[in-house]
Amino acid sequence: MALLKVKFNQKKRVKLAQGLWLMNWFSVFAGIIVFSMGLFLKIELRKRSEVMDNSESHFVPNSLILMGILSCAFNGFAGKICYDSLDPAKFAKWKPLLKPYLALCFFFNILIFFVALICFLMRGSLESTLAQGLKNSMKFYRDTDTPGRCFMKKTIDMLQIEFKCCGNNGFKDWFEIQWISNRYLDFSSKEVKDRIKSNVDGRYLVDGVPFSCCNPSSPRPCIQYQVTNNSAHYSYDYQTEELNLWRRGCREALLHYYSSMMSSMGAVILLVWLFEMVVMVGLRLLHTSLESIANPEDPECESEGWILENSLKDTLKSALENLKKIGKFNQVEADGEGAEGEEGGKTPAITTVS
């Protein structure tokens, strides 16, 4: 018994073909949107590639760009088929291609669904990428005189100002690295010498943060040095001065920014996937309804369209049997080649008469 069998007359077939033609061009437009989203996300990730540890996060935008291009190509081709299906003479040339094309559409829709899931599941990979990337970038904050790293200070400062964040996980991360360049340290000063000597690695560590960690909404001037020393400032308690510095770490801020973006894109991709599934089902019904016309010379006669010629269970069973036949056929060929090799390897016996 066929799955989702529907009866069609000529009027219904024409309406289905016209509706599918329109839906395919809507899908082309959706493909352009998907392509644009992938391009936008790639640009946004490249903007802050200096604070990311690797390029794994570019898998999502690259996939979106590829899906957008394929969607435009597949749906443009399907639109042409639907338009030609209104003329039996033109449709005849597409008949041999429709089954392979529908099989490609099926796998294409699986890929779209997979990409949509990846958009929702990339948070964990992105979090580790940002955590390690930010940690490494902060170490280069002071290297304003080193070629290749001189831009890192500006990158980190602009990042903290734009996203209202400080450090990797919080402002205390700056206490663990030397973010002040040696060129701005007075090595004849006793305080500087003592701080460097007290550190095993010989670094100049302070309980201070860069100016970009300061919150401009704070009612008092920003306290960026001796942050944890309450006695160094009048009427100050660093644990309650929430408006003085940004409390949120940049890893969390960037993760929220990119995760929200990818989740929104994932929702859009799911909608595109549903739309593509409807188009694929409609194209299959149109294909089978045109093929099952009893009298091709009478286009006004009724016909039947279906999704699967047999039930889902029978179709899966038939597919498995075909796979087994292919496997047995390959095995027989391999055995035959082996037997020929053995016969070819035998040397004929030579008898000598004395």
Side-chain angles (χ1 to χ4, degrees), residues 9-236:
N9 53 30
Q10 187 188 21
K11 187 177 179 181
K12 284 184 178 180
R13 286 194 295 268
V14 169
K15 282 186 176 180
L16 178 61
Q18 290 174 339
L20 284 172
W21 178 84
L22 186 62
M23 289 177 73
N24 274 295
W25 287 110
F26 272 123
S27 294
V28 170
F29 180 69
I32 294 171
I33 292 175
V34 172
F35 176 83
S36 303
M37 288 193 306
L39 200 61
F40 173 75
L41 181 58
K42 194 170 186 67
I43 292 169
E44 285 296 303
L45 288 170
R46 282 197 177 277
K47 278 183 184 178
R48 298 167 186 95
S49 58
E50 295 89 355
V51 296
M52 294 185 178
D53 184 45
N54 53 50
S55 58
E56 286 181 9
S57 52
H58 287 275
F59 175 76
V60 173
N62 291 340
S63 300
L64 292 177
I65 290 170
L66 178 62
M67 289 299 106
I69 294 171
L70 290 177
S71 180
C72 291
F74 273 94
N75 289 292
F77 182 69
K80 174 65 175 172
I81 292 174
C82 294
Y83 182 79
D84 286 351
S85 66
L86 298 172
D87 184 352
K90 290 182 178 179
F91 180 73
K93 65 181 180 181
W94 298 117
K95 277 187 177 181
L97 298 174
L98 271 173
K99 279 189 177 180
Y101 173 75
L102 286 167
L104 285 174
C105 284
F106 177 74
F107 288 110
F108 173 65
N109 285 325
I110 291 175
L111 285 176
I112 291 180
F113 185 73
F114 175 72
V115 171
L117 287 181
I118 291 295
C119 287
F120 293 108
L121 299 175
M122 274 296 289
R123 182 184 175 90
S125 175
L126 188 61
E127 184 173 10
S128 60
T129 296
L130 286 169
Q132 191 60 40
L134 280 166
K135 186 177 179 181
N136 294 334
S137 301
M138 287 169 64
K139 293 177 181 177
F140 304 140
Y141 183 88
R142 65 172 181 166
D143 296 337
T144 52
D145 298 326
T146 306
R149 298 178 185 173
C150 53
F151 61 87
M152 194 57 72
K153 179 184 181 299
K154 180 182 177 182
T155 300
I156 296 291
D157 284 332
M158 294 303 295
L159 177 69
Q160 294 187 147
I161 291 170
E162 182 181 353
F163 285 91
K164 300 179 179 179
C165 59
C166 185
N168 188 352
N169 298 305
F171 67 89
K172 289 186 178 180
D173 292 336
W174 289 108
F175 301 171
E176 300 172 4
I177 63 172
Q178 181 183 336
W179 55 272
I180 301 173
S181 176
N182 287 338
R183 68 182 294 186
Y184 301 112
L185 294 176
D186 181 9
F187 287 95
S188 63
S189 170
K190 185 178 182 300
E191 182 187 352
V192 173
K193 288 180 180 179
D194 290 344
R195 282 190 178 273
I196 292 175
K197 287 179 181 179
S198 64
N199 190 278
V200 177
D201 299 329
R203 294 178 296 170
Y204 181 74
L205 304 181
V206 293
D207 57 341
V209 296
F211 78 96
S212 52
C213 284
C214 295
N215 184 350
S217 301
S218 175
R220 69 184 299 158
C222 182
I223 296 173
Q224 63 179 112
Y225 294 106
Q226 295 185 323
V227 175
T228 57
N229 188 357
N230 292 333
S231 60
H233 313 282
Y234 176 74
S235 184
Y236 174 76

Side-chain angles (χ1 to χ4, degrees), residues 5 16 29 32 68 73 92 100 112 132 136 189 193 224 238 266 283 291-292 308 315 319 332 350 353:
K5 186 182 286 188
L16 178 61
F29 180 69
I32 294 171
I112 291 180
Q132 191 60 40
N136 294 334
S189 170
K193 288 180 180 179
Q224 63 179 112
Y238 82 95
L283 190 60
E291 277 199 333
S292 63
L308 295 175
T315 303
V332 169
I350 300 174
V353 179

Side-chain angles (χ1 to χ4, degrees), residues 123 126-127 130 250-260:
R123 182 184 175 90
L126 188 61
E127 184 173 10
L130 286 169
C250 290
R251 178 186 57 80
E252 181 187 346
L254 283 172
L255 185 63
H256 180 265
Y257 174 71
Y258 285 119
S259 295
S260 299

Side-chain angles (χ1 to χ4, degrees), residues 268-280:
V268 173
I269 301 301
L270 279 179
L271 290 175
V272 171
W273 173 74
L274 288 171
F275 198 74
E276 291 283 355
M277 288 294 291
V278 172
V279 171
M280 185 180 70

